[in-house]
Amino acid sequence: MPHVTARLRRGVLAAVAAGTLLTPFAAGALPASVPAAFAAGSPSPSPSTPDVRALTPDVARQLDASVRRVMREAKVPGVSVGIWTPGQPRYVRSFGVADRATGLRMTPDLYTRIGSETKTFTVTALLQLVDRGKVGLDDPIGGYVDGVPNGDRITLRELAGMRSGLFNYTEDEGFFKALTSDPERPFTPRQLLGYAFRHPVLFAPGRKFSYSNTNLILLGLVVEKESGQRLGDYIDQHILGPAGMRNTLFPTGNEFPAPHAHGYTDQTADGKVADATDWNPSWGWAAGAMISTLDDLRIWAPTVATGRLPDGRRMISPATQKQRLVTPPTTIPGAGYGLGVFDVQGWIGHNGSLPGYESLTVYLPATRTTLVVLLNTDIGHDNEEPSTLIGQAVTEVISPRHVFDLPAEPAAR
């Protein structure tokens, strides 16, 4: 299948394709070297280089130039970037167009589909149920959902940490044909699991890392069963409401609040670029259906990384949050993955991708810096996700000791 299917099969964490672990390293540890390519004017890292550079007018100009360079090279229609560090000026800029047909400019207030950043919300819901004693991280999934291959052995922890061994339903040929033949059709969670369960398990539970959207569909069902609420309703009541995220939602179909950017993809049946704005994201459900804005994701980044709400209350207990942030190695040096969250060179958070849109929401605890990137395309460039390219370009300028880099790996089908 073409490269577009490879992106679907890997879901959002395209850099971490299924495969055996490389040489293990300490959770969260940085590699011995930092990428040598830096944006024009950015200093090479040294022991005296700060974790995050002050957002002076000169640094802001360097950021503008770096973002525009990536947009030009990768043919990105539009992007919004937000950087916030306590005690520093904020950087909130939009570039390019939100709608190629009308030329409408990209602006920071637009709603966008956030793809696999949804996983951070689903896992947060699960961890809240852990705190309430409704579920245990080491419970087998078979105790909650029937018919799961190896369901008596795969734990909720292994599902949240992408170490279940279950086949990723977005790799299934039948799923790809069904989605691309009618992108506005709805999918149910059980239909999605059906595509996955027709395949044998890939490896014994816990043996290695393999990013799979199937894991999150199962966790979404667990949340619904043990909370007695629909997943979207639970997230709205117990997560979005307390966090004050009034412009974030879990759609039931292809509804999309205005104003929003149009999204452009080549993940189509014929490989041609299409406008995916009104495609139904139900195929991503607990793994990738949500919608948000730049400012709401600014709230979410530190909430995920610290377990605390903006008012200081706990979203998740300290003990459970500590378990969330255990990020064993993946297949990418310098990148670890915990419970629905990754650590890339010290940046904690997640990225998101689905046809037409990509996002990146991360937090650097060392300086309490938040970075949010929103794009209206998922079309790759030189086998790189556009959100990774922007994230790398931005962090090369502001945090050369912590460069965000998830190099994509080719995925044979």
Side-chain angles (χ1 to χ4, degrees):
M1 296 298 291
H3 72 285
V4 292
T5 312
R7 291 208 310 279
L8 269 176
R9 62 165 266 186
R10 290 194 297 266
V12 58
L13 198 63
V16 192
T20 57
L21 287 177
L22 301 179
T23 302
F25 55 90
L30 299 179
S33 61
V34 178
F38 294 95
S42 296
S44 297
S46 69
S48 61
T49 302
D51 286 297
V52 171
R53 297 173 67 199
L55 274 169
T56 63
D58 181 57
V59 169
R61 285 190 291 271
Q62 292 177 41
L63 287 168
D64 290 350
S66 293
V67 172
R68 290 193 175 105
R69 171 181 55 80
V70 172
M71 291 181 69
R72 182 174 60 253
E73 293 173 355
K75 297 180 173 59
V76 173
V79 60
S80 291
V81 178
I83 305 168
W84 299 265
T85 300
Q88 292 287 337
R90 69 175 190 167
Y91 176 92
V92 177
R93 305 279 175 89
S94 292
F95 306 83
V97 297
D99 186 342
R100 281 175 164 167
T102 66
L104 180 70
R105 304 300 296 175
M106 196 78 163
T107 57
D109 62 332
L110 300 179
Y111 287 89
T112 190
R113 302 193 188 278
I114 61 171
S116 280
E117 288 197 38
T118 303
K119 292 176 172 67
T120 61
F121 294 91
T122 300
V123 174
T124 296
L126 176 76
L127 297 180
Q128 288 183 337
L129 294 177
V130 170
D131 282 341
R132 290 168 52 191
K134 302 285 286 184
V135 303
L137 282 172
D138 296 313
D139 292 347
I141 183 61
Y144 301 94
V145 181
D146 294 332
V148 181
N150 271 355
D152 61 334
R153 300 174 57 198
I154 297 171
T155 66
L156 305 187
R157 186 190 305 275
E158 288 163 342
L159 292 169
M162 299 297 177
R163 291 167 173 84
S164 70
L166 292 173
F167 187 87
N168 186 356
Y169 67 88
T170 54
E171 289 189 55
D172 181 81
E173 300 284 355
F175 166 78
F176 180 74
K177 291 176 181 178
L179 175 65
T180 56
S181 64
D182 184 9
E184 296 183 26
R185 65 165 287 182
F187 288 88
T188 68
R190 284 290 182 175
Q191 286 174 328
L192 300 175
L193 292 179
Y195 289 115
F197 294 168
R198 67 177 62 172
H199 298 271
V201 296
L202 304 177
F203 50 81
R207 183 180 167 204
K208 54 188 175 182
F209 177 94
S210 180
Y211 193 87
S212 174
N213 292 307
T214 305
N215 297 339
L216 270 293
I217 303 303
L218 289 168
L219 293 182
L221 292 175
V222 172
V223 171
E224 290 197 329
K225 180 176 182 179
E226 295 307 311
S227 70
Q229 295 180 271
R230 293 195 316 173
L231 179 61
D233 292 340
Y234 181 94
I235 289 174
D236 184 64
Q237 179 180 346
H238 296 276
I239 299 174
L240 302 178
M245 298 173 65
R246 298 179 178 84
N247 295 311
T248 302
L249 65 148
F250 196 118
T252 58
N254 67 345
E255 63 266 28
F256 204 165
H260 58 252
H262 282 248
Y264 303 95
T265 188
D266 59 359
Q267 297 200 72
T268 55
D270 59 8
K272 295 181 180 179
V273 175
D275 186 328
T277 306
D278 295 322
W279 288 17
N280 192 327
S282 63
W283 68 267
W285 195 52
M290 290 180 67
I291 293 168
S292 191
T293 63
L294 190 79
D295 204 47
D296 266 18
L297 294 174
R298 173 188 62 83
I299 297 171
W300 188 235
T303 300
V304 171
T306 67
R308 287 190 178 275
L309 293 164
D311 63 8
R313 290 179 297 152
R314 299 295 313 192
M315 173 72 79
I316 297 170
S317 72
T320 302
Q321 179 70 9
K322 184 177 180 180
Q323 293 186 72
R324 176 176 215 165
L325 296 182
V326 174
T327 54
T330 63
T331 56
I332 300 296
Y337 198 90
L339 302 181
V341 68
F342 62 63
D343 179 335
V344 178
Q345 307 289 12
W347 290 96
I348 307 294
H350 218 288
N351 53 356
S353 179
L354 78 172
Y357 300 90
E358 288 204 345
S359 61
L360 174 65
T361 299
V362 289
Y363 181 79
L364 188 64
T367 56
R368 294 185 291 159
T369 299
T370 292
L371 168 63
V372 179
V373 177
L374 303 177
L375 305 94
N376 61 342
T377 185
D378 66 313
I379 300 173
H381 174 68
D382 288 343
N383 200 37
E384 295 279 5
E385 300 291 323
S387 61
T388 295
L389 293 172
I390 296 289
Q392 182 178 16
V394 167
T395 55
E396 283 173 345
V397 174
I398 65 167
S399 58
R401 294 175 60 186
H402 303 277
V403 175
F404 182 92
D405 187 17
L406 283 173
E409 296 180 356
R413 191 164 171 82

